[in-house]
Amino acid sequence: MNRFRSKADFGPGDFRVIFPRFSEENLPKNLEVVDKLIEIGKKYNASSSQIALAWLLAENPFGQY
């Protein structure tokens, strides 16, 4: 958890660095969301992944995207 905090954390040749969400401009913004999910998870004794999944299911409970 919380392994990738900068582009330098990705290994050489890692394909994820080409995606806009990992750009120098966007990564800090995405990390704010990740940190908030971790904070909420601690409050409810859940992982950040569980909180993210609960959030998605609450937004669209029938999975129709």
Side-chain angles (χ1 to χ4, degrees), residues 5-51:
R5 302 297 294 180
S6 74
K7 286 182 95 169
D9 295 332
F10 295 101
D14 193 314
F15 70 93
R16 290 174 284 193
V17 297
I18 65 170
F19 294 123
R21 80 175 59 159
F22 298 111
S23 73
E24 295 297 331
E25 179 183 354
N26 291 331
L27 186 58
K29 296 172 188 172
N30 287 314
L31 290 174
E32 287 179 25
V33 176
V34 170
D35 292 340
K36 189 65 174 176
L37 291 172
I38 291 169
E39 179 184 327
I40 295 168
K42 287 178 182 176
K43 179 178 177 180
Y44 292 100
N45 195 30
S47 71
S48 57
S49 301
Q50 289 172 312
I51 298 300

Side-chain angles (χ1 to χ4, degrees), residues 50-64:
Q50 289 172 312
I51 298 300
L53 182 57
W55 178 17
L56 289 173
L57 289 172
E59 289 294 312
N60 191 350
F62 300 105
Q64 297 175 355

